[in-house]
Amino acid sequence: MKNLAEDEILRLAKENSPRLLSKYKSLHPDFFEKLALIQFNLQNSELIFCIYLKLNLSTKEIATYTFVTPKAVQNRKNRIRKKLNIDSSIDIYKWFDEHL
């Protein structure tokens, strides 16, 4: 069951589906609770971007799925780093794995 749900999450992410956020929230409410403790006023678009990072998708993959340039994804990563106080020396994917 868990794998089927995770496969659907990945499919929704790849399709850049508006259902991704609600589906992820229903499966991983603790992810959003922990995120809210660090930064409570993230916009939905930022939450969705955090899901992409949590799914360990590369900059290139995120760019492809969201129809933006890799540079735009890099810029978003930097903005998320600032909002979540993640030092630039820390691997953002590792941080998401360890903290959320």
Side-chain angles (χ1 to χ4, degrees):
M1 178 65 194
K2 184 84 169 153
N3 277 352
L4 229 68
E6 294 303 323
D7 287 349
E8 186 183 357
I9 291 286
L10 198 53
R11 183 182 57 75
L12 291 172
K14 287 179 179 180
E15 292 172 359
N16 196 23
S17 171
R19 290 182 39 240
L20 176 63
L21 185 58
S22 60
K23 186 71 180 175
Y24 203 86
K25 272 185 180 172
S26 69
L27 288 171
H28 303 285
D30 53 323
F31 173 77
F32 296 96
E33 289 163 15
K34 291 176 187 172
L35 209 45
L37 291 173
I38 300 164
Q39 178 57 269
F40 65 92
N41 63 350
L42 291 174
Q43 298 170 11
N44 279 351
S45 60
E46 293 168 323
L47 293 173
I48 291 166
F49 191 75
C50 288
I51 294 170
Y52 281 119
L53 295 176
K54 182 67 178 174
L55 292 173
N56 211 17
L57 296 174
S58 71
T59 297
K60 191 174 183 209
E61 287 172 313
I62 296 169
T64 301
Y65 303 151
T66 58
F67 310 104
V68 296
T69 63
K71 179 75 180 140
V73 173
Q74 244 355 101
N75 290 340
R76 289 198 83 181
K77 278 185 184 176
N78 290 334
R79 284 198 298 276
I80 289 291
R81 273 182 188 283
K82 282 191 183 111
K83 282 200 165 187
L84 301 179
N85 291 316
I86 305 169
D87 192 86
S88 60
S89 65
I90 297 168
D91 181 313
I92 197 164
Y93 296 103
K94 200 171 183 173
W95 187 91
F96 268 79
D97 265 352
E98 292 171 0
H99 293 86
L100 299 172

